[in-house]
Amino acid sequence: MPICHIYNNKGVELVHFNTENFPDLERIEVGRSSSCEVSLKRVAESSISRRHFYLQRHADGSWSIHDTSSRAGIVINCEKVREAPLHNGTIVRFGQLFFGFGSKGVPSPYILTWNNEEANMTEFGVLWEGVNSVGASHDNYVTVRLGQVARFQCKITVKGSTITAEPFSSMTPLYINEERVEERVIVSLDSLITLTDIDTHLEMSQLPSNYSTTVGISSENASATQPGNATKNVASPQNLQVTQSLLIGLAIIAAIILFAFFLVQLIPGFTTSAKPITPPSPRYVLHSPSALSLYGG
């Protein structure tokens, strides 16, 4: 029963579903359209096509993935493909989203970090098992749009605990710990990887393993083959933090209001007695002699 996951480029799970939830279907469509069996309408950006790809079930129980002439296509190990067999752990990039097949189809424990001085923040991109492209183009596994970073700067390959890096070409300078490299080399944690003029660091991810956000395709909806139906999954730590902040803010506001109320009661002469307001006499506009007789005129 393969479990399928869809992540953003930070490794946050956006959608998950079980292929066994669609027992009567040989083909499961995935895309932004609400008519897809797995609709990404609420989580995908415009680069994702309405019908981006579909999963095909075969007689022997295996699965394959097929592009449906989408704009961004589907990419495996930095190679754009039209179709490919799926195995436990297969990672497929489509646009800036990632499809993971099976229990092993999850982000690797490694990330690439860099300092964005203009935004005064540290940014990161998740690395995936297999080949990861890095560069300024959004058509990369990790996008670094700073300095003189080339559109396609380098490739970082993750195979278990072994990580290697190599430049895309001799025209895209790559430095490992301040030494320029021309071919594939092994890198280790905390290695300094310089993309032309931007320093990045290879680190372990601090993202919790259960860090997921919103949509899970429910088995009830799937068995009824109602496309696009979904149920909410466990809220993310970010959402919980926002909720806690709102509750604290509301509690502070309530305390201020109560304090102001008691303060008004304690200050002599601050309150005033209310005088009844006498409404003005109604003024009638009479338009006919018959109306005068109604009012004694």
Side-chain angles (χ1 to χ4, degrees), residues 4-7 13-17 38-40 43 215-217:
C4 301
H5 316 262
I6 293 178
Y7 304 89
E13 184 185 70
L14 304 176
V15 172
H16 68 267
F17 61 94
V38 179
S39 175
L40 305 179
V43 299
V215 183
I217 304 301

Side-chain angles (χ1 to χ4, degrees), residues 8-28:
N8 65 14
N9 60 357
K10 303 302 181 186
V12 177
E13 184 185 70
L14 304 176
V15 172
H16 68 267
F17 61 94
N18 192 325
T19 56
E20 298 305 314
N21 288 344
F22 306 90
D24 300 326
L25 296 180
E26 300 299 322
R27 170 171 166 159
I28 302 173

Side-chain angles (χ1 to χ4, degrees), residues 17 166 178:
F17 61 94
E166 60 185 301
E178 300 184 347

Side-chain angles (χ1 to χ4, degrees), residues 147-170:
Q148 301 299 316
V149 176
R151 283 176 52 79
F152 299 97
Q153 185 82 37
C154 72
K155 296 178 183 178
I156 298 178
T157 302
V158 178
K159 289 187 177 181
S161 59
T162 302
I163 307 170
T164 60
E166 60 185 301
F168 251 97
S169 72
S170 60

